[in-house]
Each structure stands twice: as C-alpha cells, then as structure tokens.
Amino acid sequence: MEQGKKVRLEDMKGLARFREAIKYVLPYFHPYRRFTALVTGLAVLSNIFEPSIAISIKFFIRFVFTDKVSEMVWIAPIGLVLLFLIREVTTFLYEYHREKLSLMVVQDLQCSVYDHFVHLSL
C-alpha cells in the first residue's frame, strides 16, 4: 500500500513538471493559435480512423458471416478503401502542417535569439 502511494506521488511530480514545461513552451505557439488548432484537429482526425476501421471490420464480419447479408460483400470493401484513403490524407495533412508549424516556431525562436545577440553591448 505504501508503494502505491509513492507511485502516485511520483506521477504527480511528473505531471507538475509537464505543466511547467507546457507553460514555458506555450507562449511560443501563441502567434499561431489558429494553425495550432488546425494541427490539433488533424491529429484527432487522423487518430480516430484506427478504431473506426476495427469497428467497421467487426460489423462486416457480423453482417456477412452471421446475418448472411450479401450486399455487405460489395459495400464493405468500398467503405474500407474510403476509410483508408481518408486516414492517409488526414495523416499526411497532419504531418505536413505539424512540420510547418514547428519550423515557424523555431524560426521565431532563432530570430529572437539573434535579435537579442545583436543588441547586446560589447
């Protein structure tokens, strides 16, 4: 029981460190609020498709093999191909915009550091 409490306290310390890191990094993304929201939305969309594909395969197997619905033999493969296409497109858009956002933030950081160095006294 004591060991369980220690793990929870360590988790709380890790969570506090995570919050501190987020508070430090978040202001750099403030000028790109909309772009950050877009990247977050695309991340959610691209990760939703994994469970949806598994659920659709479950329904396909149930309808074709247990309920003997023959229309599912033609509809399900088309639906799965569409799900895979949508997943790949959203994953590509997410990765592209994530890279673009990170490059913009790094460029801003580099410019601010360079500007700071230029204005230092000799």
Side-chain angles (χ1 to χ4, degrees):
M1 188 163 184
E2 290 292 323
Q3 190 174 7
K5 288 184 179 178
K6 287 182 182 177
V7 170
R8 289 183 184 151
L9 288 176
E10 290 173 2
D11 287 344
M12 294 297 283
K13 289 179 184 176
L15 186 61
R17 289 181 189 150
F18 177 73
R19 285 181 183 160
E20 288 176 18
I22 291 296
K23 286 180 183 177
Y24 179 74
V25 172
L26 203 57
Y28 294 110
F29 290 93
H30 186 71
Y32 309 108
R33 288 186 305 267
R34 291 182 183 162
F35 207 69
T36 305
L38 173 69
V39 169
T40 305
L42 285 171
V44 169
L45 273 177
S46 66
N47 290 320
I48 280 178
F49 287 108
E50 293 297 326
S52 66
I53 290 171
I55 291 170
S56 64
I57 290 174
K58 174 186 157 189
F59 284 118
F60 172 72
I61 290 173
R62 189 179 84 191
F63 284 127
V64 170
F65 295 115
T66 59
D67 297 341
K68 306 289 185 197
V69 178
S70 61
E71 293 87 24
M72 287 299 290
V73 174
W74 299 104
I75 296 171
I78 295 169
L80 285 175
V81 168
L82 286 175
L83 279 175
F84 279 112
L85 284 174
I86 293 170
R87 183 190 73 172
E88 292 303 318
V89 167
T90 56
T91 302
F92 169 76
L93 289 173
Y94 162 66
E95 290 175 358
Y96 174 77
H97 289 309
R98 182 192 65 199
E99 291 295 322
K100 188 175 177 182
L101 176 66
S102 62
L103 287 174
M104 289 188 300
V105 169
V106 168
Q107 182 182 11
D108 285 350
L109 286 170
Q110 288 173 343
C111 288
S112 66
V113 168
Y114 180 73
D115 189 48
H116 177 73
F117 285 153
V118 166
H119 291 97
L120 285 175
S121 62
L122 299 174

